[in-house]
Amino acid sequence: MAKRMHKPGCIALQTEPGEEMAKFADRIQERLGYDIEIITISRPTAYGEYEPYRFVSSYEEFEKEASLLQKESLVFRIPFMLYKVTCNLLLDIFMHTFAFL
């Protein structure tokens, strides 16, 4: 399953455990980075913290939907990063302006 950290719900795919699943999970985790958790579980009912589950029917669909989670993550992160840069820049200007007084 794929989950964007600190957001409710996840994308899930029912599949058989094995080498194909393990390679897929490793590959997609590396591609998406670690803002999106890729987790393999055996029983969704045992992991209520990931609800609601949105099941997809193929590896391809899972990869597409997980990529959309990543894009959502970037949309929220970029404004925060711009805000942080702006605040640091203003602080630097303030400090340099008043350091000579």
Side-chain angles (χ1 to χ4, degrees):
M1 63 183 201
K3 177 172 180 35
R4 196 170 107 205
M5 293 188 192
H6 310 296
K7 295 291 178 182
C10 69
I11 308 298
L13 172 67
Q14 185 173 353
T15 186
E16 293 296 319
E19 188 175 339
E20 179 185 18
M21 181 191 69
K23 285 181 178 180
F24 176 78
D26 289 343
R27 182 179 59 78
I28 196 168
Q29 184 72 79
E30 188 172 313
R31 188 168 84 59
L32 296 177
Y34 291 92
D35 287 342
I36 306 297
E37 295 178 279
I38 302 296
I39 305 161
T40 57
I41 61 174
S42 57
R43 286 187 349 214
T45 56
Y47 296 88
E49 65 269 26
Y50 297 111
E51 291 179 339
Y53 290 90
R54 188 159 58 88
F55 283 90
V56 296
S57 58
S58 68
Y59 282 118
E60 293 79 20
E61 188 179 2
F62 182 90
E63 190 164 0
K64 177 184 170 196
E65 295 296 322
S67 293
L68 293 175
L69 291 176
Q70 181 193 36
K71 288 178 184 175
E72 290 174 13
S73 179
L74 292 174
V75 166
F76 290 106
R77 195 171 22 164
I78 288 172
F80 173 74
M81 290 176 357
L82 291 174
Y83 169 79
K84 187 175 178 182
V85 168
T86 303
C87 289
N88 287 338
L89 181 60
L90 290 173
L91 182 60
D92 284 348
I93 292 169
F94 178 81
M95 296 301 287
H96 283 61
T97 302
F98 293 101
F100 298 106
L101 296 178

